[in-house]
Amino acid sequence: MDLVECVGQMYYSIVINELKRMRTSGLYRGVSYNGLLYMDLIRQMDNPTVSSIAETLGVAKSSVSQKVSELECRGLVNRERDALDGRVSHVSIAPEAVDDVSAIDAPIRAALESVSRDYSEEQIQMVCAMITSVARALDAQTQDDR
């Protein structure tokens, strides 16, 4: 199996795992997979706003605002007006939903912890460097698309 196939298989496994867990676990309060991806994005971004999320995704602010409103109604995210510019709202994971959102990563965290016991620190750091390089290359491609 080559690197592209390997990464594709891992991505497929992650998505299938998340979709099955969404259906059976009761986590995520009935949110769609798209909503789950938004929550993960909000969690990963530094002090996101509706505008910064829209820019990151390359979609209309109204689409992001609608999705954020849906997540807010479900008690999964909060919006807080910027103290200096009341037109800007910062979006964050609601404190009562932090554990649910953190559960998104639980299976992969457990799998990585289990697998990492079989490899040296040097090997793990090499894989981390490869993953970081791929992420940077993908980020550069999306920057070029803007």
Side-chain angles (χ1 to χ4, degrees):
M1 181 180 298
D2 72 4
L3 184 59
V4 172
E5 287 178 79
C6 183
V7 170
Q9 180 60 48
M10 183 180 76
Y11 179 75
Y12 173 82
S13 296
I14 290 169
V15 170
I16 294 301
N17 181 284
E18 288 176 344
L19 288 169
K20 285 182 177 179
R21 289 180 68 239
M22 285 181 72
R23 187 174 43 81
T24 61
S25 72
L27 293 172
Y28 321 122
R29 305 175 198 186
V31 71
S32 67
Y33 192 65
N34 182 263
L36 179 67
L37 295 175
Y38 266 79
M39 291 180 351
D40 201 31
L41 181 65
I42 291 165
R43 181 176 58 139
Q44 296 294 331
M45 290 180 74
D46 184 35
N47 202 20
T49 63
V50 168
S51 294
S52 68
I53 295 167
E55 183 179 331
T56 297
L57 296 175
V59 299
K61 284 190 251 183
S62 60
S63 297
V64 173
S65 185
Q66 184 177 15
K67 181 55 73 175
V68 168
S69 292
E70 174 191 323
L71 296 171
E72 191 175 29
C73 287
R74 293 178 184 272
L76 294 166
V77 301
N78 290 332
R79 283 192 228 213
E80 186 175 319
R81 293 262 179 225
D82 187 278
L84 301 175
D85 185 348
R87 298 169 298 168
V88 175
S89 292
H90 297 277
V91 184
S92 61
I93 301 300
E96 55 276 7
V98 168
D99 289 343
D100 285 358
V101 176
S102 295
I104 295 168
D105 295 333
I108 190 134
R109 219 176 302 116
L112 289 171
E113 286 173 13
S114 174
V115 168
S116 69
R117 293 186 201 114
D118 297 334
Y119 297 91
S120 70
E121 185 61 29
E122 185 178 315
Q123 290 170 313
I124 292 169
Q125 290 307 312
M126 185 183 305
V127 171
C128 288
M130 288 177 66
I131 291 170
T132 299
S133 294
V134 170
R136 286 186 182 140
L138 289 169
D139 290 345
Q141 287 175 16
T142 57
Q143 291 298 325
D144 293 344
D145 291 345
R146 291 185 186 163

